Every structure is written in C-alpha cells, then in structure tokens.
C-alpha cells in the first residue's frame, strides 16, 4: 500500500536507528522525508543517533533520542523509553505552538 502524502495531515513522524547520509540513499525514512517535504509537510525524524552536521531539507527536524554518552547496549535496551519521551516533547511543543497561533498575544 502507498502512503498518500498529498492530503489529510500536515506533520509526518518517521524514525530510524541511525539517521545519516545513507538514510537518503534508498532507505525508507529518507524517501519518506523527500516525499513529505515535496508536499510541504513538516517532518520529524526520530533516531537513536544522528550523523553530526547532516544536511536535511528545510521543514525537517531530526531528533536524536538517545543520549550521546550512553553505551549502545543500554541505548538499545531503553530505546522505547527514549522514543516515547522524545515524541511527547515534540507533541507538547506542537500543541503549545498551535495554541499560540490560535490565540496570538495582543
């Protein structure tokens, strides 16, 4: 089945274990990012780790969910916890931003 990005929503969430330059070379998350941006969607990529200084298209925010100092074994074991926390933070921020747009300060 194909995901139709042309209508119905403004924000896309996706994820990958490590988001790096190879993510844009035929992998699903990179392809989804490209397609979503082409349709003017805001994209959040959640990843266990992220390549430093990775260029991403405008409208894309990449969120490293695991603390950089954490050993890989522990990061993997706690991945669900870290993902949940990161998504909750983004959703709260989006809700706050949405409320500010509906009720602009005078």
């Amino acid at each position: 089945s194909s995901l139709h990005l042309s209508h119905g929503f403004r924000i896309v969430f996706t994820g990958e274990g490590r988001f790096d330059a190879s993510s844009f070379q035929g992998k699903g998350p990179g392809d989804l990012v490209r397609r979503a941006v082409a349709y003017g969607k805001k994209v959040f990529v959640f990843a266990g780790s992220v390549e430093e200084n990775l260029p991403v298209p405008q409208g894309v925010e990449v969120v490293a969910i695991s603390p950089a100092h954490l050993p890989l074994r522990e990061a993997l074991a706690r991945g669900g916890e870290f993902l949940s926390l990161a998504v909750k933070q983004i959703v709260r921020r989006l809700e706050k931003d949405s409320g500010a747009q509906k009720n602009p300060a005078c």
Side-chain angles (χ1 to χ4, degrees), residues 18-62:
R18 176 163 173 79
F19 199 73
D20 56 26
S22 73
S23 299
F24 291 104
Q25 298 171 358
K27 291 184 179 178
D31 184 51
L32 179 60
V33 166
R34 267 196 295 278
R35 292 186 308 141
V37 167
Y39 280 103
K41 310 298 183 186
K42 172 71 178 164
V43 181
F44 291 91
V45 178
F46 297 91
S49 65
V50 178
E51 178 181 327
E52 282 190 47
N53 303 314
L54 178 67
V56 295
Q58 186 173 349
V60 177
E61 186 172 330
V62 181

Side-chain angles (χ1 to χ4, degrees), residues 43-96:
V43 181
F44 291 91
V45 178
F46 297 91
S49 65
V50 178
E51 178 181 327
E52 282 190 47
N53 303 314
L54 178 67
V56 295
Q58 186 173 349
V60 177
E61 186 172 330
V62 181
V63 180
I65 65 168
S66 299
H69 68 279
L70 205 61
L72 179 59
R73 181 179 297 256
E74 186 175 349
L76 291 172
R78 297 178 62 194
E81 170 192 348
F82 294 140
L83 178 60
S84 179
L85 289 171
V87 170
K88 285 176 184 176
Q89 288 177 341
I90 294 298
V91 168
R92 278 194 297 269
R93 191 177 86 207
L94 291 170
E95 289 173 340
K96 181 180 174 188

